[in-house]
DNA sequence: GGTCAATGATTGACGGGTCAACTATAAATG
DNA sequence: CATTTATAGTTGACCCGTCAATCATTGACC
């Protein structure tokens, strides 16, 4: 049936598009999408625990640990234990981190603008809607 | 500006959706999307060189080598050198491979059906169109 | 025909993600 | 109060992709 062929093709398109976006995003902006997402969150919250971070970004806590460790080495982030609960560690942008993220965000804007070139406002709301319906559809798989 | 916020959000949605699709696809169908794509191709061509395979699937030749090696161990695939050119190796589905892929494809159909649940024909053509426009937009980055 | 470049495949190192096992701390329960 | 259970983070093993280096084979060119 034609329906199922189309459905397969759409899934394929999605996977393909993503495979192209990630490396290009990184080449254009100088940072991986996931890590920028992390920084972006840190930019807004001042100080945050890794668990909360993990839930916001939807990646594994192991991945969070590694990202944060590397960013710490790069001097973009500081960590400290929560005195009230020694289990949790707070993460916070350094001054250097705050500076750098501004540059990254500009690059990201340029990138997203290119990605959605010639998209009308209607196109944008439409795609956002369709994507989130897909997300809902597979939520409980 | 609101525009740029939306654009960012759409990129984020795309990345997120993909991050959810891949593991769920694998859990539901029993195989990773990339590998199923490989099998799918092999299903149609009978015998094919790894280079051609690589160009069709758009992944690195190193990745192809590893996939094919593992599938060979699993008994789903056979390989042989091209007698006319010892550099190229042909890959071919075994009987077991042909049997298995049928089951995988059924699972995949179920999965894609769920992914696009409640999508009208118009929704599908629309999303396909929007996705391919994005693809075009970043082609030469 | 011998050298040199191009091609196909493989391997190793790396980035980024998952899951499972583990440690340390805190909270709950008897 | 001691034991158990839950939570936060870390680490190791693995999958999947990239790039760079390597090897064997083939083809081209002097």
């Amino acid at each position: 049936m034609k329906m199922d062929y189309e459905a397969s093709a759409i899934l394929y398109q999605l996977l393909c598009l993503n495979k192209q976006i990630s490396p290009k995003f990184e080449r254009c902006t100088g940072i991986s999408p996931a890590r920028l997402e992390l920084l972006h969150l840190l930019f807004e919250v001042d100080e945050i625990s890794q668990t909360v971070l993990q839930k916001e970004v939807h990646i594994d806590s192991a991945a969070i640990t590694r990202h944060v460790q590397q960013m710490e080495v790069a001097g973009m982030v500081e960590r400290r234990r929560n005195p009230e609960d020694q289990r949790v560690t707070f993460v916070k942008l350094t001054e250097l981190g705050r500076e750098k993220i501004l540059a990254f965000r500009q690059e990201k804007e340029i990138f997203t603008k290119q990605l959605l070139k010639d998209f009308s406002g209607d196109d944008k709301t439409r795609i956002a809607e369709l994507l989130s319906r897909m997300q809902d559809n597979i939520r409980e798989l």
Side-chain angles (χ1 to χ4, degrees), chain A residues 25-117:
Chain A
F25 182 94
E26 186 153 1
R27 198 162 53 241
C28 291
T29 66
I31 194 172
S32 76
R35 190 160 297 185
L36 183 51
E37 184 61 28
L38 277 178
L39 287 175
H40 196 298
L41 243 123
L42 288 169
F43 192 83
E44 289 174 342
V45 298
D46 187 61
E47 202 170 39
I48 191 174
S49 85
Q50 292 191 191
T51 307
V52 178
L53 208 50
Q54 180 237 314
K55 277 168 190 151
E56 295 280 339
V57 184
H58 299 110
I59 60 180
D60 197 53
S61 62
I64 294 285
T65 294
R66 285 163 190 139
H67 276 298
V68 171
Q69 281 174 344
Q70 286 179 255
M71 296 197 297
E72 194 178 27
V73 170
M76 301 183 64
V77 132
E78 282 171 356
R79 293 198 287 171
R80 67 181 186 101
R81 281 286 174 76
N82 179 354
E84 270 108 59
D85 183 344
Q86 292 286 114
R87 292 172 302 181
V88 344
T89 82
F90 287 141
V91 188
K92 185 179 177 173
L93 275 184
T94 61
E95 262 320 301
L96 177 67
R98 296 194 96 75
E99 285 167 24
K100 284 204 168 180
I101 196 179
L102 291 174
F104 287 141
R105 286 169 80 164
Q106 281 188 335
E107 297 302 323
K108 180 187 173 184
E109 257 188 40
I110 292 168
F111 183 85
T112 55
K113 211 164 266 173
Q114 177 63 28
L115 180 66
L116 299 178
K117 195 162 75 101

